[in-house]
Every structure is written in structure tokens, then in C-alpha cells.
Amino acid sequence: MTSLPQNPDISPAQITISTAFAERVGPDSVQLWARLVQEVADESRGLTAAEIGVLLGQRLGAEGLAGHPVEMERFGEMIADHPGGALAFVDDRGRPVAGAIPRPTGSAHEETESDDRPFYS
């Protein structure tokens, strides 16, 4: 994987991998998809979101993993808006799947037993 220096002061951009996609392609392909998206992110500094979207479509398409062009452009926007940072890939519940470890967005004392319970700090 191409790896440009990442800025440790920038929180990783979080990309959610849907359960439906993960079940359709399987765990190995999810890991490949995440690796390819990170490679494109590492190589695309200075490109526009649309250019990154096209590059994502080409790279993922070569492996049969590309989504709709609008979806690729949306990922391109996320990458363009987050230059120099790693990507954290999480599942629908926010659990790490691949890439960087996402920084918590809630309190460190978050109660997770029930989604209905409030956050406490």
C-alpha cells in the first residue's frame, strides 16, 4: 500500500461499510475494498472530489467492488475534505473493520448496554 506520511493531529475520517455490502462481498473483499480506498486517498492529494471519485471507480471497478458513480464521488468528497489523514472503516454500529482506529466521538464513559441510555461524561 502506498503510504504518505499521515498527520497524527488529524482524526481519521470515518467511512461506514454497510452490513449489506459486507455480507454481499465477504470479509476478504471488505478488507481489499478498504485497502484500495486508502491507497486512492494516499495518492490523491490535490485532486478534486470528482477526480478522486473517478479514480476510486476505476481502482475499485478493476476488482468488481465499485459502487454507483455518485457514491464514488461522495467518497471522493470525504477524501478531498480530509487531506493528510488516515481513514477509519467501521461497520454500521461504529465498530472498527479496517484501517485506522477511529477516535471516539462520545464520552469516554459512554454506557453502551442500550441505545436508549444517555451519554455521561
Side-chain angles (χ1 to χ4, degrees), residues 4-52:
L4 296 177
Q6 301 294 330
N7 184 341
D9 297 328
I10 298 175
S11 294
Q14 189 166 296
I15 295 178
T16 301
I17 298 173
S18 73
T19 300
F21 174 75
E23 288 175 351
R24 182 170 48 87
V25 301
D28 290 340
S29 291
V30 167
Q31 294 298 313
L32 175 61
W33 184 92
R35 182 175 54 80
L36 293 172
V37 171
Q38 182 66 63
E39 286 178 3
V40 169
D42 290 345
E43 298 168 4
S44 63
R45 291 185 196 191
L47 298 180
T48 67
E51 292 168 329
I52 296 169

Side-chain angles (χ1 to χ4, degrees), residues 46-60:
L47 298 180
T48 67
E51 292 168 329
I52 296 169
V54 169
L55 187 56
L56 283 168
Q58 291 170 345
R59 189 76 54 87
L60 295 171

